[in-house]
Amino acid sequence: MTRRDLIHKWLVYALGLLPVWLLDAYILPRYPLWGTVPMLLPLAAAAVSVLEGAYAGTGFGLVVGLLWELAYPGGFGGLVFYMALAGMAMGAVSQYALSQSFLGCLICAAGTLGLLDLLRVAGRLLARSAGLSDLLEAAIPEFLWSLAWTPLVWLIFCAVHRRVGGNKLA
């Protein structure tokens, strides 16, 4: 690919991220389901990592983490590194162990969301800000509700992948 093709490709991926971020930041928080708001940005990183591989997944995860830290209050910078590492891991797993399919994306998204929620719960437990049962009452529905949005995010990024001339999907 030429430099121009690469710039075009990642601009189109950024445009694909825009509706996901708008849903995540502005629409879904207004309509929580049983008090739970889904996280869609990790799903976007998972989808692109599965479609593009480890190197591109690292870069896209870094951008998603940076967007997440800058757009939402209370960040400490850790999401930038977490999303970059998650993008790299998901891309590698999908390249070598899973297929570049919806099922592979669902597994990678579940892993990313599960580890993120586990880290959040562990952090709150160490800070002694809440009990384990209270934290799990919030984390499990958030995990499941976020995972339910995987098909929509997958379809958006599959369309982008086809648009920019990606390889055939399994």
Side-chain angles (χ1 to χ4, degrees), residues 15-146:
L15 286 175
L17 183 60
L18 186 63
V20 174
W21 176 64
L22 289 174
L23 268 172
D24 188 74
Y26 296 106
I27 297 170
L28 293 176
R30 293 178 184 256
Y31 308 105
L33 181 67
W34 296 299
T36 303
V37 176
M39 297 182 292
L40 301 185
L41 292 179
L43 302 178
V48 173
S49 297
V50 167
L51 292 168
E52 292 291 334
Y55 294 119
T58 304
F60 194 78
L62 186 87
V63 169
V64 166
L66 187 61
L67 172 67
W68 204 351
E69 288 287 357
L70 294 174
Y72 300 96
F76 65 96
L79 286 172
V80 176
F81 299 109
Y82 175 76
M83 292 308 298
L85 290 173
M88 180 180 65
M90 290 180 292
V93 166
S94 70
Q95 275 181 303
Y96 301 113
L98 300 172
S99 63
Q100 291 178 311
S101 64
F102 173 71
L103 182 60
C105 180
L106 190 63
I107 292 169
C108 288
T112 301
L113 289 169
L115 185 57
L116 182 60
D117 278 339
L118 181 69
L119 291 172
R120 285 179 167 181
V121 166
R124 301 279 178 168
L125 283 174
L126 289 174
R128 297 180 187 220
S129 61
L132 180 62
S133 63
D134 294 332
L135 292 170
L136 290 178
E137 279 182 32
I140 292 171
E142 180 185 58
F143 170 81
L144 295 172
W145 185 221
S146 298

